Amino acid sequence: MRYLKAVLAALIGIQSEKNRRDDFSQPSPFGYIVVGIVTVICFLILLMLIVRWVVS
């Protein structure tokens, strides 16, 4: 849940300095990368579905 919160805040562009420092203090960025990729893929699929719905 921590990873998802950090990724969503980064995608929207709002994040406190404290949370950013906490995110960058983690030893491995692997969790953030995986959650980021999955989140972007889900967003793109949702966007495609909305466009198909509007066009039809």
Side-chain angles (χ1 to χ4, degrees):
M1 195 58 148
R2 174 185 189 162
Y3 294 126
L4 183 61
K5 181 180 173 184
V7 168
L8 291 176
L11 286 174
I12 295 172
I14 55 169
Q15 190 169 18
S16 69
E17 182 65 24
K18 178 188 173 293
N19 288 343
R20 188 191 63 79
R21 269 191 252 119
D22 290 343
D23 293 341
F24 280 101
S25 69
Q26 298 300 316
S28 173
F30 184 72
Y32 295 105
I33 293 169
V34 170
V35 172
I37 290 171
V38 170
T39 304
V40 169
I41 289 171
C42 289
F43 174 73
L44 291 174
I45 290 171
L46 179 65
L47 192 61
M48 287 186 335
L49 291 172
I50 291 172
V51 169
R52 282 186 181 179
W53 177 68
V54 169
V55 171
S56 67

